[in-house]
Amino acid sequence: MLDYISISGGLLYTAFVIYLISIVFFAATIRDKRKEKQFTLVNKLAIGTTILGFVAQVGYFITRWIASGHAPVSNMFEFVTFFGMMLVFAFIILYLIYRIELLGLFALPIALLIIAYASMYPTEISPLVPSLKSHWLYIHVTTVALGEAILAVSFVAGIIYLIRQIDQTKITLKTIGLEIIMYSVCATIGFVLITSTFSAMDYNASFSYSVDGNESTLNYHLPAIFGPGDGELLTENRMEAMIPTPEWMHGAEAPRKLNTLVWSLLIGLGLYLVMRLILRKRIAAAIQPILKKANPELLDEVCYRAVAIGFPVFTLGGLIFAAIWAQEAWNRYWGWDPKEVWALITFFFYAIFLHLRLSKGWHGERSAWLAVVGFTIIMFNLIVVNLVLAGLHSYA
Amino acid sequence: MNTITCNTCGHLNKEGTTICEKCGNPLDNDQKGKLLNMRYDGSSIRSKTKNRSIIDKIWNFFSSVKIGVTLIAIALVASALGTIYPQQMYIPRSVDPSVHYRDQYGITGQIYYQLGFHNLYGSWWYMILIALIGISIFIVSIDRGVPLYKALKHQAVKRHPNFLKRQKLFGEYKDYSVDEKKLLISKLKENRYKIAEKDGHILAEKGRFSRWGPYVNHLGLIIFLLGTIFRFVPFMYIDDYVWVREGETTVIPSTNQEYYIENQEFIFETYGEDEEDAVFEEALQNNSGPVPKHFETNAVIYQDVSDDIVGTEAELEEIKRGEIIVNEPLKINGLALYQDSYQLSEFESMSFKLHETTDEEEEAIVEFTVDLTDPKREYKFENGYRIELNKYYPEYELDDGQPRSISNYPRNPGFVFFVYGPDIEEQEASFLAIGQNIPSGDNQYKIGLTDFSVRDVSGLKVRKDLTLPILGLGAFIFMIGVIQGMYWQHRRIWIHQGDEKLLIACHTNKNWYGLTKEIEKVIEGTSFKMVEDQENKQKQD
Ligand code: HEM
């Protein structure tokens, strides 16, 4: 049993490293100065290693399934990792259709970041409560992840399109929008960096505080910038909390979550500023030149195509299978809980995307911005709804 | 009705037509050079032509995509607002919402409550919003679907050269042989195009069915929305709840007293009892309480077969028995019983004895047992003692020094007993609860707990939902429709046999990249050069 767990962990790590290598190959295809588009050795290596990494990750998935006895999509770590895997899968499919290397150069780092992000959550195998024991759960969760991943490729195509097309000679709302996206990436990297650094140091500071009148302790794994409202530090030789968490943030773990968020944003800001100093221009402006060769028409097409392919998959998984499962588990196919509502919002949003594009001719830049907003909604549902809305209201 | 006469073929077209139905000549003479708008093949759309009566105005309102998208956007924003704070159904049932939102979330919570957002999805305005979207989908589908259907059904093979010249993908060929044209057509056939020919003009078409995708998916949505309305028809939908104690038989609510359920046994398992749970050890340790692994009710269902006269005793006949497990409901006659929750070790009965307060041996003067689900008010004994159950709190709690019961379930019973006896002047009162035994004043007699029995209670949801098949059908049709419209494309290639030139134009409703690749494949091996993308050319010029 335990053996499968370590094999599984090893395979995930292998996949991670192989993806890193494929990114290097994809970068090499871009540097290729030849004008004619050719499918050369580098291209083969790039997509070949991507597929290899994907296979390794599938291996991780299967061995973990054997070890735990249920499909490993039942907690944050497992689900987000699976989402990363599906993103690679969706990229492979769209690459095979369109043969755009740039897509890989952007999609793979995002997938890597997602997997790294996932590993910051507790990775132990957890048991299933009875209502989760249903095939429909697996079918639902895996289909949602696939659908969201395909939709995420539309974001990737959209962002490449925007960086290539948007005029960087002056500051506009558009350039600011792009920089906000770049900063969000930095903040995510910041989260991974700070969390893994302090967890390597085994940092732990306990605070005692009261929730709804009950004494309770809260363990921090990062130095507390924001501490619990009336908290008292229990662990010795640890930093005292600098600022108490505002009153209106309810929920048992709200102070710690706020603290982690603030840390991530700060480190992200640091990273972003350092990059700006080194590059001496906006980050998107620095990326722009390498995208010269990209064909904007084709990127626009991929952006739309990914939505066209992903929308039915998402609807099937996120709404229909979800409803079937909810009907089985709680005998109500729909319960208006935040997670469900945000799936509906995602559905509405992409329906709007499709109608604007088809009937109102929203192509190119507008459509690319919509793809960015769509991805934001998906990430919001994945992260904020899980951690904040559910956490604040404690009905996860 | 106004008509437009085509100046090349003389055909009378309906007002609003932009491409002559018969010959395909563009009717917008002034816009030469610009690419044709191929939406609905240039046919006349009701909402774009009529705007006189009030019905026209309403029709036009609902068939506007701008309005439709706006409605969906409003629904999107409204839905998001509903997730800021928990909806009423997710706050504890015992609290008053008007107080809860203010207490928990402060001033914003109070505003949230006062705007009615705590029950957003069941509010009349949210429902009207969804209904408007439904009406819009219905009307827009007729508005565009009918003309599109007619246009595609009657489309002519021969199209006016101007029609071809104003397509996005277009090519003109001077020197070609008849054989090569034949080769081209056979290659189109190889790529599964349907070929129609008239006087040497060709129309090659594939995937027309995908054009109906939006209409099929809109139909699915309408069926689905109708299904949700049927929920308000009483016999279509039942949602009730029943608690059954082990060994007890109770009537199933919402069945007109027709069905009864007996709970023979309730089984409950937690993680950590089995060896196979070893993998979860770490996670279990991080969890404060035991994690439930499995629970089920062994149930027997009875039907009352007595005559339907008020007051007659029920005559129960067993009709079904089986386990009710989470995710595996027991079904009778369209009604499903779902395992929902449980109450472990609820008290069934408690036994007491009466003894003299000073007696160290605590020798029983009288003994009695209180049935906690149906307690007697009085217990009389032959030796002259009488005990009155003056107050009974099934789930006892002290609220500001005052005892009260939180529920009617004997989970933490509390009692006030009055003892009467030959040597007691008036009566002696005692208060008993678990871990508490409070006599009033200096009582001569004391009541002590001797024994108790417990049992589990199973909480079952009673559900019937005849709208499910309708919803399922709607969802199914919706999926067919989106897949049909998204995973296939409608591609057409016109080949116009001019006097000396051959004109080729191509159109697809989406996925131009795929069409371009396909045409490259088709012309491979012929001397035809690739058709040009006129849109790109215009941009570059
Ligand atoms: C949430 C509700 C809706 C969903 C999920 C939905 C879904 C769709 C989909 C998937 C398409 C095909 C788009 C494409 O091929 O790119 C479509 C087309 C269309 N929808 Fe909707 N729709 C909805 C509501 C509406 C509403 C309210 C209107 C009213 C104005 C509308 C009008 C149209 C029109 C005009 C088309 C194009 C039809 C054609 O070109 O033949 N839809 N819809």
Side-chain angles (χ1 to χ4, degrees):
Chain A
M1 275 299 189
L2 283 174
D3 233 348
Y4 274 117
I5 296 178
S6 49
I7 295 176
S8 154
L11 281 171
L12 184 61
Y13 189 71
T14 314
F16 195 89
V17 174
I18 297 179
Y19 291 151
L20 269 177
I21 297 171
S22 350
I23 294 176
V24 175
F25 283 129
F26 274 117
T29 62
I30 308 299
R31 308 218 66 193
D32 200 340
K33 285 276 170 349
R34 268 168 304 198
K35 246 203 150 164
E36 265 311 285
K37 233 187 127 179
Q38 268 176 339
F39 198 58
T40 59
L41 182 68
V42 194
N43 301 54
K44 278 182 199 154
L45 278 174
I47 187 69
T49 45
T50 310
I51 293 174
L52 192 69
F54 178 70
V55 170
Q57 202 178 353
V58 171
Y60 140 82
F61 186 75
I62 294 171
T63 43
R64 190 169 169 101
W65 190 329
I66 296 172
S68 66
H70 59 254
V73 283
S74 65
N75 60 25
M76 248 335 231
F77 162 70
E78 292 174 342
F79 180 72
V80 177
T81 314
F82 186 76
F83 176 65
M85 179 164 115
M86 288 295 104
L87 182 55
V88 176
F89 181 63
F91 157 69
I92 293 174
I93 294 177
L94 283 149
Y95 179 82
L96 293 181
I97 302 178
Y98 290 103
R99 296 283 160 90
I100 304 178
E101 279 72 27
L102 264 179
L103 216 52
L105 193 59
F106 281 73
L108 286 178
I110 293 178
L112 272 186
L113 194 57
I114 287 173
I115 296 170
Y117 173 80
S119 323
M120 298 303 118
Y121 287 92
T123 57
E124 76 253 4
I125 291 179
S126 44
L128 287 184
V129 294
S131 67
L132 296 185
K133 284 182 192 160
S134 159
H135 292 300
W136 283 109
L137 169 67
Y138 308 145
I139 297 171
H140 152 60
V141 173
T142 49
T143 323
V144 175
L146 179 62
E148 291 184 340
I150 301 173
L151 293 173
V153 175
S154 96
F155 160 76
V156 175
I159 192 87
I160 302 176
Y161 183 95
L162 291 175
I163 297 178
R164 186 185 186 284
Q165 297 297 91
I166 283 176
D167 178 10
Q168 288 285 0
T169 52
K170 53 183 183 294
I171 300 182
T172 56
L173 271 182
K174 293 171 185 173
T175 59
I176 294 174
L178 274 183
E179 290 313 285
I180 292 177
I181 300 171
M182 298 299 136
Y183 170 65
S184 318
V185 174
C186 291
T188 315
I189 299 175
F191 171 75
V192 172
L193 283 181
I194 191 81
T195 317
S196 45
T197 311
F198 278 97
S199 102
M201 284 159 50
D202 247 339
Y203 187 90
N204 187 17
S206 299
F207 288 88
S208 75
Y209 74 125
S210 67
V211 225
D212 298 335
N214 299 324
E215 272 306 297
S216 182
T217 54
L218 192 60
N219 290 324
Y220 273 64
H221 303 293
L222 295 177
I225 299 175
F226 279 94
D230 51 355
E232 194 180 319
L233 185 63
L234 300 177
T235 323
E236 280 177 26
N237 289 332
R238 292 287 187 241
M239 192 182 97
E240 281 282 358
M242 287 157 64
I243 311 167
T245 302
E247 190 79 42
W248 51 269
M249 290 209 178
H250 285 263
E253 294 178 349
R256 187 178 63 204
K257 285 170 185 164
L258 176 70
N259 187 50
T260 310
L261 179 69
V262 169
W263 265 109
S264 314
L265 294 179
L266 286 178
I267 302 286
L269 188 63
L271 282 175
Y272 178 80
L273 290 178
V274 168
M275 300 244 290
R276 284 292 295 261
L277 276 179
I278 297 174
L279 297 170
R280 303 205 154 271
K281 53 179 122 167
R282 283 188 287 277
I283 297 186
I287 303 176
Q288 197 172 39
I290 63 167
L291 306 182
K292 274 254 169 56
K293 274 200 298 184
N295 173 358
E297 238 93 325
L298 194 54
L299 285 170
D300 179 51
E301 172 106 20
V302 175
C303 177
Y304 175 43
R305 205 69 203 295
V307 176
I309 300 175
F311 180 70
V313 179
F314 176 79
T315 311
L316 189 66
L319 298 177
I320 298 180
F321 288 162
I324 295 176
W325 173 53
Q327 181 66 26
E328 284 224 337
W330 301 300
N331 49 71
R332 50 149 192 80
Y333 54 86
W334 192 256
W336 296 110
D337 90 43
K339 202 90 208 179
E340 286 172 337
V341 175
W342 278 92
L344 182 68
I345 289 173
T346 313
F347 172 78
F348 280 156
F349 183 83
Y350 282 101
I352 293 175
F353 178 110
L354 290 169
H355 286 98
L356 285 178
R357 178 147 186 137
L358 191 66
S359 298
K360 291 267 152 253
W362 279 39
H363 291 245
E365 212 176 293
R366 289 178 172 186
S367 167
W369 280 116
L370 286 180
V372 171
V373 176
F375 184 70
T376 315
I377 294 178
I378 290 175
M379 283 297 126
F380 186 84
N381 198 6
L382 190 64
I383 297 165
V384 184
V385 172
N386 263 359
L387 297 185
V388 181
L389 289 187
L392 281 179
H393 305 145
S394 64
Y395 51 80
Chain B
M1 182 191 261
N2 291 341
T3 51
I4 307 173
T5 316
C6 171
N7 56 18
T8 37
C9 72
H11 180 75
L12 291 183
N13 290 289
K14 265 202 217 165
E15 179 189 2
T17 312
T18 54
I19 300 171
C20 174
E21 286 171 316
K22 189 151 175 261
C23 69
N25 189 32
L27 299 174
D28 55 345
N29 296 332
D30 48 340
Q31 302 205 336
K32 284 206 179 76
K34 243 182 131 184
L35 289 185
L36 269 185
N37 181 355
M38 287 292 287
R39 308 242 59 221
Y40 315 110
D41 272 38
S43 57
S44 163
I45 306 289
R46 188 188 195 281
S47 63
K48 297 264 153 73
T49 49
K50 291 192 181 173
N51 194 9
R52 286 168 207 127
S53 66
I54 179 85
I55 296 191
D56 291 341
K57 295 228 157 76
I58 294 174
W59 183 276
N60 295 353
F61 178 81
F62 283 115
S63 49
S64 146
V65 174
K66 213 187 262 167
I67 298 288
V69 166
T70 311
L71 288 174
I72 303 175
I74 296 173
L76 186 157
V77 173
S79 307
L81 284 179
T83 63
I84 297 178
Y85 294 129
Q87 291 289 297
Q88 185 173 11
M89 58 203 151
Y90 289 105
I91 66 172
R93 234 171 265 183
S94 53
V95 300
D96 179 0
S98 63
V99 181
H100 179 83
Y101 285 95
R102 194 189 53 220
D103 279 2
Q104 290 282 311
Y105 311 108
I107 181 75
T108 48
Q110 188 172 4
I111 296 171
Y112 196 77
Y113 172 79
Q114 269 160 2
L115 289 175
F117 288 178
H118 65 297
N119 196 1
L120 191 144
Y121 307 109
S123 64
W124 57 269
W125 63 268
Y126 191 79
M127 288 200 240
I128 287 178
L129 192 56
I130 301 295
L132 287 178
I133 294 178
I135 295 170
S136 178
I137 294 174
F138 182 74
I139 291 182
V140 84
S141 301
I142 296 175
D143 189 57
R144 321 276 161 125
V146 174
L148 179 65
Y149 178 79
K150 282 192 192 150
L152 289 183
K153 181 140 196 219
H154 302 298
Q155 64 179 322
V157 171
K158 179 188 172 188
R159 289 270 143 156
H160 197 277
N162 286 346
F163 174 88
L164 277 80
K165 282 179 188 153
R166 288 176 59 188
Q167 296 296 327
K168 179 171 150 85
L169 293 183
F170 174 72
E172 269 179 307
Y173 306 93
K174 255 196 182 136
D175 312 307
Y176 65 94
S177 66
V178 180
D179 279 346
E180 250 166 332
K181 188 179 156 196
K182 271 193 188 141
L183 179 65
L184 187 68
I185 292 165
S186 75
K187 290 198 78 177
L188 281 170
K189 275 187 189 150
E190 257 172 51
N191 281 286
R192 281 180 278 124
Y193 277 86
K194 282 205 201 81
I195 310 288
E197 180 161 10
K198 198 177 176 216
D199 310 331
H201 306 289
I202 306 285
L203 166 63
E205 184 179 17
K206 86 197 247 190
R208 192 199 288 182
F209 78 99
S210 85
R211 282 302 277 278
W212 315 127
Y215 304 94
V216 174
N217 88 46
H218 285 168
L219 175 73
L221 286 172
I222 291 167
I223 294 177
F224 186 91
L225 290 176
L226 286 179
T228 58
I229 292 174
F230 277 117
R231 180 185 257 234
F232 298 103
V233 180
F235 76 92
M236 301 280 279
Y237 184 74
I238 291 173
D239 179 10
D240 226 319
Y241 205 91
V242 60
W243 286 98
V244 233
R245 306 183 161 98
E246 270 178 315
E248 245 187 21
T249 304
T250 26
V251 66
I252 303 176
S254 299
T255 61
N256 290 324
Q257 315 285 317
E258 193 184 346
Y259 294 102
Y260 287 72
I261 179 168
E262 179 187 352
N263 175 357
Q264 293 198 311
E265 196 188 358
F266 182 75
I267 299 169
F268 181 77
E269 292 164 19
T270 55
Y271 277 101
E273 291 168 7
D274 264 336
E275 269 180 37
E276 58 175 36
D277 300 340
V279 269
F280 306 127
E281 211 176 280
E282 197 183 336
L284 286 174
Q285 272 167 4
N286 289 342
N287 220 307
S288 48
V291 181
K293 181 179 181 182
H294 176 89
F295 48 96
E296 68 173 68
T297 309
N298 288 345
V300 185
I301 308 292
Y302 302 96
Q303 188 172 17
D304 181 4
V305 291
S306 67
D307 296 332
D308 207 14
I309 304 166
V310 185
T312 44
E313 274 283 294
E315 264 173 68
L316 299 185
E317 199 169 85
E318 176 178 334
I319 53 165
K320 196 164 193 175
R321 64 170 63 218
E323 302 94 50
I324 307 178
I325 310 176
V326 184
N327 288 337
E328 291 172 37
L330 190 71
K331 293 193 174 128
I332 32 158
N333 207 356
L335 195 73
L337 294 168
Y338 290 85
Q339 183 69 62
D340 184 65
S341 68
Y342 49 82
Q343 173 71 44
L344 295 180
S345 316
E346 179 185 283
F347 291 99
E348 183 178 7
S349 65
M350 284 185 161
S351 303
F352 304 93
K353 67 177 177 187
L354 184 72
H355 60 89
E356 297 206 23
T357 313
T358 48
D359 182 3
E360 297 223 335
E361 303 285 299
E362 299 192 351
E363 195 186 320
I365 302 169
V366 295
E367 280 180 302
F368 63 99
T369 300
V370 179
D371 177 350
L372 294 176
T373 41
D374 185 18
K376 284 200 289 180
R377 276 202 73 82
E378 217 179 32
Y379 302 84
K380 272 191 176 152
F381 304 95
E382 283 174 2
N383 55 8
Y385 289 90
R386 184 163 66 90
I387 290 170
E388 186 191 315
L389 176 55
N390 183 268
K391 287 260 161 57
Y392 169 48
Y393 310 99
E395 191 169 0
Y396 153 80
E397 191 195 63
L398 262 191
D399 182 28
D400 269 341
Q402 290 297 314
R404 60 165 194 157
S405 188
I406 323 175
S407 76
N408 286 324
Y409 305 109
R411 291 168 185 160
N412 180 25
F415 312 87
V416 175
F417 289 115
F418 283 179
V419 182
Y420 302 90
D423 50 350
I424 303 174
E425 268 180 29
E426 262 182 64
Q427 79 258 54
E428 282 186 356
S430 316
F431 176 80
L432 268 85
I434 293 165
Q436 292 183 46
N437 194 337
I438 309 165
S440 70
D442 28 45
N443 280 0
Q444 189 180 341
Y445 295 97
K446 190 173 175 184
I447 296 175
L449 181 70
T450 54
D451 199 9
F452 62 85
S453 64
V454 291
R455 59 185 164 180
D456 298 337
V457 194
S458 173
L460 302 170
K461 266 195 182 159
V462 182
R463 264 293 162 96
K464 172 166 148 179
D465 195 347
L466 295 182
T467 66
L468 285 180
I470 307 175
L471 301 181
L473 180 72
F476 183 75
I477 294 179
F478 175 80
M479 278 317 297
I480 300 274
V482 264
I483 290 176
Q484 176 183 346
M486 295 299 190
Y487 292 2
W488 278 271
Q489 295 91 32
H490 181 210
R491 294 174 177 171
R492 279 178 288 175
I493 298 169
W494 294 272
I495 303 177
H496 184 96
Q497 181 73 66
D499 289 339
E500 57 211 77
K501 281 194 232 159
L502 193 72
L503 309 182
I504 300 181
C506 317
H507 180 74
T508 179
N509 64 333
K510 57 180 59 155
N511 189 6
W512 288 92
Y513 176 80
L515 178 64
T516 320
K517 287 273 152 208
E518 189 165 72
I519 296 168
E520 275 169 9
K521 220 168 82 188
V522 167
I523 58 171
E524 209 176 66
T526 70
S527 65
F528 290 102
K529 61 180 180 4
M530 186 60 192
V531 285
E532 268 186 68
D533 187 334
Q534 307 203 90
E535 193 173 30
N536 278 359
K537 215 170 75 180
Q538 281 177 2
K539 263 190 210 152
Q540 277 155 18
D541 287 349

